[in-house]
Amino acid sequence: MDEQKKGTRRRGEILEEAILNATMDELAENGYSHLTMESAATRAGTNKAVLYRRWANKSELVMAALRKWIPTTNIDNIPDTGSLRDDVVAYLRARVEPVKTIGPQTIRGLLMEPQVWRTLVAAMPQIIQRRSENKENKMTAAMMVILKKAELRGEVRLEKLSPRVISLPLDLLHHELITKQEITDTAIAEIVDGIFMPLIHAARQ
């Protein structure tokens, strides 16, 4: 569509939202491997030059769309089932839901992009520094909320848990995502029941 001829020339956030909407629709209908800058532009009713002024390539466009439309961690919306085990399972399942929306094919496609790997590698020093300084990100903060509630119920002794143990369920979830690109309920149960909860029980001794 020629926006100027139609008299509906869009700019700024309105245009960007239309492009990111179109990108998500293209992902849902055609998958990452078939999505192109041109196909996203056509669906958005603009031209690919507009996209290239904002994003250097397809992977940057897709990641921008995912950041906008995939829900982020809400510290005020944390499971409270009355059981540490069930809280952690419910929380990990909630973290997986956006991944199901994206689909394993999109994740696999992104992980194969050199630009994505360069971004991940560049971010590693900051991630390691945050861990060494024990700075909490939103997901680790959510785990702390779950654990503090469990401590009040007498299920855990927080002073016995290292930051590595606290972040372990999320770390294993991320590892599963990177290596398998798909996370099942069975995998979540194995992370919680086979690894995390035994460490929690050992820390109570």
Side-chain angles (χ1 to χ4, degrees):
M1 179 188 300
D2 189 324
E3 293 174 330
Q4 288 179 307
K5 289 182 180 179
K6 293 292 184 181
T8 58
R9 186 173 180 83
R10 297 160 297 172
R11 299 178 186 274
E13 292 183 3
I14 294 174
L15 176 58
E16 184 168 307
E17 183 168 336
I19 294 169
L20 297 180
N21 266 329
T23 301
M24 291 300 290
D25 289 341
E26 280 289 300
L27 281 174
E29 290 186 20
N30 302 314
Y32 183 85
S33 61
H34 292 97
L35 182 146
T36 65
M37 298 290 270
E38 186 170 2
S39 68
T42 298
R43 184 182 285 266
T46 185
N47 62 75
K48 62 181 180 181
V50 173
L51 274 65
Y52 279 112
R53 285 199 289 270
R54 291 168 168 78
W55 304 282
N57 49 58
K58 179 174 76 171
S59 62
E60 285 190 10
L61 171 63
V62 170
M63 287 191 290
L66 297 179
R67 280 194 294 269
K68 183 170 182 61
W69 296 116
I70 297 303
T72 56
T73 302
N74 185 351
I75 196 71
D76 298 319
N77 187 23
I78 295 173
D80 189 7
T81 66
S83 158
L84 173 59
R85 185 266 177 194
D86 291 344
D87 282 351
V88 176
V89 167
Y91 182 64
L92 295 186
R93 283 177 176 167
R95 304 272 31 90
V96 169
E97 281 306 310
V99 176
K100 292 179 180 178
T101 301
I102 301 168
Q105 196 253 22
T106 297
I107 296 169
R108 189 176 301 112
L110 284 170
L111 290 175
M112 291 175 66
E113 295 281 5
Q115 298 92 339
V116 176
W117 275 112
R118 283 198 292 268
T119 300
L120 290 173
V121 170
M124 284 307 297
Q126 288 82 5
I127 294 171
I128 294 170
Q129 182 178 5
R130 287 177 65 88
R131 287 291 177 82
S132 66
E133 295 175 357
N134 196 25
K135 293 180 180 178
E136 294 182 352
N137 59 31
K138 289 183 179 180
M139 289 187 288
T140 306
M143 281 296 299
M144 282 299 298
V145 172
I146 290 172
L147 287 165
K148 285 176 181 177
K149 290 179 179 178
E151 186 174 45
L152 292 175
R153 295 192 297 264
E155 293 183 85
V156 64
R157 296 175 62 186
L158 267 176
E159 74 275 7
K160 295 284 188 177
L161 301 181
S162 68
R164 188 180 299 276
V165 171
I166 291 170
S167 66
L168 183 62
L170 292 166
D171 291 340
L172 293 175
L173 194 74
H174 295 157
H175 178 268
E176 192 79 8
L177 173 61
I178 291 172
T179 57
K180 306 288 180 56
Q181 287 96 51
E182 192 169 10
I183 304 173
T184 64
D185 285 346
T186 299
I188 290 176
E190 289 174 351
I191 288 171
V192 177
D193 297 328
I195 302 173
F196 184 62
M197 291 307 298
L199 291 173
I200 295 297
H201 295 152
R204 292 178 60 189
Q205 304 302 318

mmCIF file of all heavy atoms in Angstrom, residues 120-154:
data_model
loop_
_atom_site.group_PDB
_atom_site.id
_atom_site.type_symbol
_atom_site.label_atom_id
_atom_site.label_comp_id
_atom_site.label_asym_id
_atom_site.label_seq_id
_atom_site.Cartn_x
_atom_site.Cartn_y
_atom_site.Cartn_z
ATOM 1 N N LEU A 120 24.145 -12.018 22.694
ATOM 2 C CA LEU A 120 24.201 -12.821 23.917
ATOM 3 C C LEU A 120 25.600 -12.835 24.512
ATOM 4 O O LEU A 120 25.781 -12.682 25.727
ATOM 5 C CB LEU A 120 23.739 -14.254 23.623
ATOM 6 C CG LEU A 120 22.258 -14.441 23.310
ATOM 7 C CD1 LEU A 120 21.996 -15.876 22.862
ATOM 8 C CD2 LEU A 120 21.392 -14.081 24.509
ATOM 9 N N VAL A 121 26.597 -13.014 23.650
ATOM 10 C CA VAL A 121 27.991 -13.042 24.127
ATOM 11 C C VAL A 121 28.378 -11.692 24.719
ATOM 12 O O VAL A 121 29.020 -11.613 25.773
ATOM 13 C CB VAL A 121 28.940 -13.429 22.979
ATOM 14 C CG1 VAL A 121 30.395 -13.224 23.395
ATOM 15 C CG2 VAL A 121 28.704 -14.873 22.566
ATOM 16 N N ALA A 122 27.962 -10.603 24.061
ATOM 17 C CA ALA A 122 28.284 -9.268 24.561
ATOM 18 C C ALA A 122 27.640 -9.007 25.914
ATOM 19 O O ALA A 122 28.180 -8.258 26.735
ATOM 20 C CB ALA A 122 27.837 -8.209 23.548
ATOM 21 N N ALA A 123 26.486 -9.627 26.160
ATOM 22 C CA ALA A 123 25.769 -9.386 27.416
ATOM 23 C C ALA A 123 26.307 -10.229 28.568
ATOM 24 O O ALA A 123 26.022 -9.943 29.735
ATOM 25 C CB ALA A 123 24.274 -9.676 27.230
ATOM 26 N N MET A 124 27.090 -11.264 28.269
ATOM 27 C CA MET A 124 27.534 -12.180 29.312
ATOM 28 C C MET A 124 28.320 -11.506 30.440
ATOM 29 O O MET A 124 28.097 -11.811 31.614
ATOM 30 C CB MET A 124 28.371 -13.305 28.693
ATOM 31 C CG MET A 124 27.549 -14.363 27.977
ATOM 32 S SD MET A 124 26.224 -15.054 28.993
ATOM 33 C CE MET A 124 27.179 -15.820 30.304
ATOM 34 N N PRO A 125 29.261 -10.571 30.167
ATOM 35 C CA PRO A 125 29.971 -9.934 31.293
ATOM 36 C C PRO A 125 29.029 -9.236 32.271
ATOM 37 O O PRO A 125 29.229 -9.318 33.492
ATOM 38 C CB PRO A 125 30.892 -8.923 30.578
ATOM 39 C CG PRO A 125 31.096 -9.491 29.222
ATOM 40 C CD PRO A 125 29.788 -10.137 28.864
ATOM 41 N N GLN A 126 27.998 -8.553 31.733
ATOM 42 C CA GLN A 126 27.045 -7.875 32.613
ATOM 43 C C GLN A 126 26.240 -8.889 33.426
ATOM 44 O O GLN A 126 25.970 -8.678 34.606
ATOM 45 C CB GLN A 126 26.092 -6.993 31.793
ATOM 46 C CG GLN A 126 26.737 -5.744 31.211
ATOM 47 C CD GLN A 126 27.493 -6.022 29.936
ATOM 48 O OE1 GLN A 126 27.468 -7.134 29.418
ATOM 49 N NE2 GLN A 126 28.170 -5.007 29.406
ATOM 50 N N ILE A 127 25.873 -10.000 32.784
ATOM 51 C CA ILE A 127 25.112 -11.035 33.490
ATOM 52 C C ILE A 127 25.944 -11.632 34.618
ATOM 53 O O ILE A 127 25.484 -11.799 35.753
ATOM 54 C CB ILE A 127 24.678 -12.140 32.512
ATOM 55 C CG1 ILE A 127 23.672 -11.574 31.497
ATOM 56 C CG2 ILE A 127 24.063 -13.320 33.259
ATOM 57 C CD1 ILE A 127 23.347 -12.527 30.373
ATOM 58 N N ILE A 128 27.218 -11.925 34.316
ATOM 59 C CA ILE A 128 28.105 -12.499 35.330
ATOM 60 C C ILE A 128 28.334 -11.513 36.470
ATOM 61 O O ILE A 128 28.334 -11.884 37.654
ATOM 62 C CB ILE A 128 29.450 -12.903 34.688
ATOM 63 C CG1 ILE A 128 29.222 -14.052 33.699
ATOM 64 C CG2 ILE A 128 30.466 -13.284 35.748
ATOM 65 C CD1 ILE A 128 30.427 -14.378 32.843
ATOM 66 N N GLN A 129 28.493 -10.226 36.126
ATOM 67 C CA GLN A 129 28.706 -9.223 37.164
ATOM 68 C C GLN A 129 27.491 -9.105 38.070
ATOM 69 O O GLN A 129 27.622 -9.014 39.288
ATOM 70 C CB GLN A 129 29.012 -7.866 36.534
ATOM 71 C CG GLN A 129 29.304 -6.778 37.573
ATOM 72 C CD GLN A 129 29.643 -5.448 36.934
ATOM 73 O OE1 GLN A 129 29.579 -5.305 35.722
ATOM 74 N NE2 GLN A 129 30.011 -4.478 37.740
ATOM 75 N N ARG A 130 26.306 -9.125 37.474
ATOM 76 C CA ARG A 130 25.080 -9.052 38.272
ATOM 77 C C ARG A 130 25.006 -10.217 39.240
ATOM 78 O O ARG A 130 24.622 -10.065 40.396
ATOM 79 C CB ARG A 130 23.852 -9.035 37.367
ATOM 80 C CG ARG A 130 23.632 -7.722 36.620
ATOM 81 C CD ARG A 130 22.433 -7.838 35.701
ATOM 82 N NE ARG A 130 21.215 -8.021 36.455
ATOM 83 C CZ ARG A 130 20.473 -7.023 36.912
ATOM 84 N NH1 ARG A 130 20.824 -5.765 36.697
ATOM 85 N NH2 ARG A 130 19.370 -7.258 37.595
ATOM 86 N N ARG A 131 25.375 -11.409 38.750
ATOM 87 C CA ARG A 131 25.343 -12.581 39.618
ATOM 88 C C ARG A 131 26.351 -12.450 40.756
ATOM 89 O O ARG A 131 26.069 -12.765 41.906
ATOM 90 C CB ARG A 131 25.645 -13.844 38.800
ATOM 91 C CG ARG A 131 24.505 -14.269 37.903
ATOM 92 C CD ARG A 131 23.335 -14.785 38.739
ATOM 93 N NE ARG A 131 22.221 -15.128 37.907
ATOM 94 C CZ ARG A 131 22.102 -16.284 37.259
ATOM 95 N NH1 ARG A 131 23.056 -17.180 37.331
ATOM 96 N NH2 ARG A 131 21.039 -16.530 36.545
ATOM 97 N N SER A 132 27.574 -11.990 40.423
ATOM 98 C CA SER A 132 28.618 -11.898 41.438
ATOM 99 C C SER A 132 28.293 -10.851 42.487
ATOM 100 O O SER A 132 28.660 -10.975 43.653
ATOM 101 C CB SER A 132 29.967 -11.582 40.783
ATOM 102 O OG SER A 132 29.942 -10.290 40.195
ATOM 103 N N GLU A 133 27.575 -9.805 42.078
ATOM 104 C CA GLU A 133 27.176 -8.754 43.014
ATOM 105 C C GLU A 133 25.829 -9.048 43.654
ATOM 106 O O GLU A 133 25.317 -8.249 44.442
ATOM 107 C CB GLU A 133 27.122 -7.413 42.288
ATOM 108 C CG GLU A 133 28.480 -6.939 41.791
ATOM 109 C CD GLU A 133 28.379 -5.670 40.978
ATOM 110 O OE1 GLU A 133 27.234 -5.201 40.761
ATOM 111 O OE2 GLU A 133 29.427 -5.133 40.577
ATOM 112 N N ASN A 134 25.251 -10.219 43.284
ATOM 113 C CA ASN A 134 23.974 -10.641 43.847
ATOM 114 C C ASN A 134 22.866 -9.629 43.572
ATOM 115 O O ASN A 134 21.995 -9.406 44.403
ATOM 116 C CB ASN A 134 24.093 -10.890 45.356
ATOM 117 C CG ASN A 134 22.914 -11.696 45.893
ATOM 118 O OD1 ASN A 134 22.288 -12.444 45.146
ATOM 119 N ND2 ASN A 134 22.623 -11.514 47.174
ATOM 120 N N LYS A 135 22.910 -9.001 42.406
ATOM 121 C CA LYS A 135 21.836 -8.095 42.029
ATOM 122 C C LYS A 135 20.684 -8.911 41.455
ATOM 123 O O LYS A 135 20.888 -9.825 40.677
ATOM 124 C CB LYS A 135 22.333 -7.089 40.983
ATOM 125 C CG LYS A 135 23.364 -6.120 41.517
ATOM 126 C CD LYS A 135 23.795 -5.155 40.424
ATOM 127 C CE LYS A 135 24.827 -4.170 40.957
ATOM 128 N NZ LYS A 135 25.309 -3.248 39.894
ATOM 129 N N GLU A 136 19.471 -8.566 41.849
ATOM 130 C CA GLU A 136 18.323 -9.339 41.424
ATOM 131 C C GLU A 136 17.718 -8.766 40.156
ATOM 132 O O GLU A 136 17.496 -7.570 40.061
ATOM 133 C CB GLU A 136 17.256 -9.354 42.527
ATOM 134 C CG GLU A 136 17.678 -10.094 43.786
ATOM 135 C CD GLU A 136 16.565 -10.108 44.812
ATOM 136 O OE1 GLU A 136 15.555 -9.418 44.587
ATOM 137 O OE2 GLU A 136 16.708 -10.807 45.817
ATOM 138 N N ASN A 137 17.443 -9.636 39.197
ATOM 139 C CA ASN A 137 16.606 -9.215 38.097
ATOM 140 C C ASN A 137 15.160 -9.531 38.471
ATOM 141 O O ASN A 137 14.887 -10.051 39.561
ATOM 142 C CB ASN A 137 17.025 -9.893 36.785
ATOM 143 C CG ASN A 137 16.954 -11.402 36.876
ATOM 144 O OD1 ASN A 137 16.127 -11.964 37.593
ATOM 145 N ND2 ASN A 137 17.820 -12.069 36.142
ATOM 146 N N LYS A 138 14.229 -9.222 37.576
ATOM 147 C CA LYS A 138 12.820 -9.391 37.931
ATOM 148 C C LYS A 138 12.462 -10.842 38.226
ATOM 149 O O LYS A 138 11.688 -11.129 39.143
ATOM 150 C CB LYS A 138 11.947 -8.848 36.802
ATOM 151 C CG LYS A 138 11.967 -7.336 36.682
ATOM 152 C CD LYS A 138 11.028 -6.873 35.586
ATOM 153 C CE LYS A 138 11.039 -5.345 35.486
ATOM 154 N NZ LYS A 138 10.127 -4.866 34.422
ATOM 155 N N MET A 139 13.017 -11.758 37.448
ATOM 156 C CA MET A 139 12.663 -13.165 37.651
ATOM 157 C C MET A 139 13.247 -13.714 38.942
ATOM 158 O O MET A 139 12.594 -14.454 39.668
ATOM 159 C CB MET A 139 13.117 -13.986 36.442
ATOM 160 C CG MET A 139 12.284 -13.716 35.204
ATOM 161 S SD MET A 139 12.647 -14.814 33.824
ATOM 162 C CE MET A 139 14.257 -14.201 33.322
ATOM 163 N N THR A 140 14.502 -13.349 39.241
ATOM 164 C CA THR A 140 15.091 -13.787 40.508
ATOM 165 C C THR A 140 14.364 -13.151 41.684
ATOM 166 O O THR A 140 14.167 -13.788 42.724
ATOM 167 C CB THR A 140 16.585 -13.436 40.559
ATOM 168 O OG1 THR A 140 17.233 -13.982 39.413
ATOM 169 C CG2 THR A 140 17.231 -13.998 41.814
ATOM 170 N N ALA A 141 13.940 -11.896 41.523
ATOM 171 C CA ALA A 141 13.167 -11.233 42.578
ATOM 172 C C ALA A 141 11.866 -11.973 42.821
ATOM 173 O O ALA A 141 11.415 -12.112 43.973
ATOM 174 C CB ALA A 141 12.896 -9.784 42.195
ATOM 175 N N ALA A 142 11.245 -12.479 41.750
ATOM 176 C CA ALA A 142 10.005 -13.244 41.903
ATOM 177 C C ALA A 142 10.269 -14.536 42.675
ATOM 178 O O ALA A 142 9.477 -14.934 43.535
ATOM 179 C CB ALA A 142 9.414 -13.547 40.529
ATOM 180 N N MET A 143 11.390 -15.193 42.370
ATOM 181 C CA MET A 143 11.743 -16.399 43.116
ATOM 182 C C MET A 143 11.954 -16.097 44.586
ATOM 183 O O MET A 143 11.575 -16.880 45.461
ATOM 184 C CB MET A 143 13.013 -17.019 42.526
ATOM 185 C CG MET A 143 12.801 -17.829 41.258
ATOM 186 S SD MET A 143 11.778 -19.296 41.508
ATOM 187 C CE MET A 143 12.764 -20.200 42.705
ATOM 188 N N MET A 144 12.537 -14.936 44.886
ATOM 189 C CA MET A 144 12.734 -14.552 46.285
ATOM 190 C C MET A 144 11.402 -14.360 46.994
ATOM 191 O O MET A 144 11.247 -14.737 48.163
ATOM 192 C CB MET A 144 13.569 -13.273 46.364
ATOM 193 C CG MET A 144 15.049 -13.486 46.148
ATOM 194 S SD MET A 144 15.788 -14.588 47.392
ATOM 195 C CE MET A 144 15.493 -13.657 48.902
ATOM 196 N N VAL A 145 10.437 -13.784 46.316
ATOM 197 C CA VAL A 145 9.103 -13.614 46.913
ATOM 198 C C VAL A 145 8.509 -14.982 47.248
ATOM 199 O O VAL A 145 7.961 -15.194 48.332
ATOM 200 C CB VAL A 145 8.171 -12.837 45.957
ATOM 201 C CG1 VAL A 145 6.737 -12.841 46.480
ATOM 202 C CG2 VAL A 145 8.659 -11.403 45.792
ATOM 203 N N ILE A 146 8.623 -15.917 46.303
ATOM 204 C CA ILE A 146 8.109 -17.273 46.522
ATOM 205 C C ILE A 146 8.810 -17.921 47.718
ATOM 206 O O ILE A 146 8.169 -18.536 48.580
ATOM 207 C CB ILE A 146 8.309 -18.126 45.254
ATOM 208 C CG1 ILE A 146 7.379 -17.637 44.146
ATOM 209 C CG2 ILE A 146 8.075 -19.607 45.543
ATOM 210 C CD1 ILE A 146 7.633 -18.279 42.794
ATOM 211 N N LEU A 147 10.126 -17.779 47.792
ATOM 212 C CA LEU A 147 10.899 -18.407 48.860
ATOM 213 C C LEU A 147 10.625 -17.764 50.221
ATOM 214 O O LEU A 147 10.596 -18.447 51.250
ATOM 215 C CB LEU A 147 12.389 -18.342 48.533
ATOM 216 C CG LEU A 147 12.841 -19.300 47.425
ATOM 217 C CD1 LEU A 147 14.221 -18.930 46.916
ATOM 218 C CD2 LEU A 147 12.820 -20.745 47.917
ATOM 219 N N LYS A 148 10.411 -16.442 50.231
ATOM 220 C CA LYS A 148 10.106 -15.775 51.502
ATOM 221 C C LYS A 148 8.762 -16.229 52.048
ATOM 222 O O LYS A 148 8.594 -16.403 53.272
ATOM 223 C CB LYS A 148 10.129 -14.260 51.308
ATOM 224 C CG LYS A 148 11.549 -13.695 51.177
ATOM 225 C CD LYS A 148 11.533 -12.200 50.892
ATOM 226 C CE LYS A 148 12.961 -11.674 50.734
ATOM 227 N NZ LYS A 148 12.977 -10.229 50.384
ATOM 228 N N LYS A 149 7.800 -16.439 51.169
ATOM 229 C CA LYS A 149 6.505 -16.967 51.616
ATOM 230 C C LYS A 149 6.664 -18.386 52.146
ATOM 231 O O LYS A 149 6.048 -18.764 53.145
ATOM 232 C CB LYS A 149 5.502 -16.945 50.457
ATOM 233 C CG LYS A 149 5.058 -15.549 50.046
ATOM 234 C CD LYS A 149 4.080 -15.619 48.877
ATOM 235 C CE LYS A 149 3.623 -14.213 48.479
ATOM 236 N NZ LYS A 149 2.694 -14.259 47.314
ATOM 237 N N ALA A 150 7.514 -19.164 51.457
ATOM 238 C CA ALA A 150 7.767 -20.529 51.906
ATOM 239 C C ALA A 150 8.468 -20.542 53.259
ATOM 240 O O ALA A 150 8.202 -21.408 54.106
ATOM 241 C CB ALA A 150 8.608 -21.270 50.870
ATOM 242 N N GLU A 151 9.339 -19.576 53.487
ATOM 243 C CA GLU A 151 10.034 -19.490 54.775
ATOM 244 C C GLU A 151 9.054 -19.213 55.899
ATOM 245 O O GLU A 151 9.168 -19.787 56.996
ATOM 246 C CB GLU A 151 11.098 -18.399 54.711
ATOM 247 C CG GLU A 151 11.973 -18.337 55.970
ATOM 248 C CD GLU A 151 13.109 -17.357 55.826
ATOM 249 O OE1 GLU A 151 12.867 -16.234 55.330
ATOM 250 O OE2 GLU A 151 14.243 -17.706 56.198
ATOM 251 N N LEU A 152 8.075 -18.367 55.646
ATOM 252 C CA LEU A 152 7.054 -18.086 56.659
ATOM 253 C C LEU A 152 6.242 -19.327 56.996
ATOM 254 O O LEU A 152 5.742 -19.469 58.112
ATOM 255 C CB LEU A 152 6.127 -16.961 56.180
ATOM 256 C CG LEU A 152 6.752 -15.568 56.063
ATOM 257 C CD1 LEU A 152 5.765 -14.587 55.459
ATOM 258 C CD2 LEU A 152 7.216 -15.077 57.436
ATOM 259 N N ARG A 153 6.118 -20.232 56.034
ATOM 260 C CA ARG A 153 5.393 -21.489 56.271
ATOM 261 C C ARG A 153 6.309 -22.558 56.864
ATOM 262 O O ARG A 153 5.858 -23.677 57.132
ATOM 263 C CB ARG A 153 4.796 -22.007 54.951
ATOM 264 C CG ARG A 153 3.734 -21.110 54.344
ATOM 265 C CD ARG A 153 2.990 -21.825 53.222
ATOM 266 N NE ARG A 153 3.871 -22.180 52.118
ATOM 267 C CZ ARG A 153 4.040 -21.443 51.012
ATOM 268 N NH1 ARG A 153 3.362 -20.297 50.881
ATOM 269 N NH2 ARG A 153 4.851 -21.826 50.059
ATOM 270 N N GLY A 154 7.581 -22.252 57.030
ATOM 271 C CA GLY A 154 8.522 -23.203 57.603
ATOM 272 C C GLY A 154 9.059 -24.220 56.612
ATOM 273 O O GLY A 154 9.625 -25.246 57.003
#
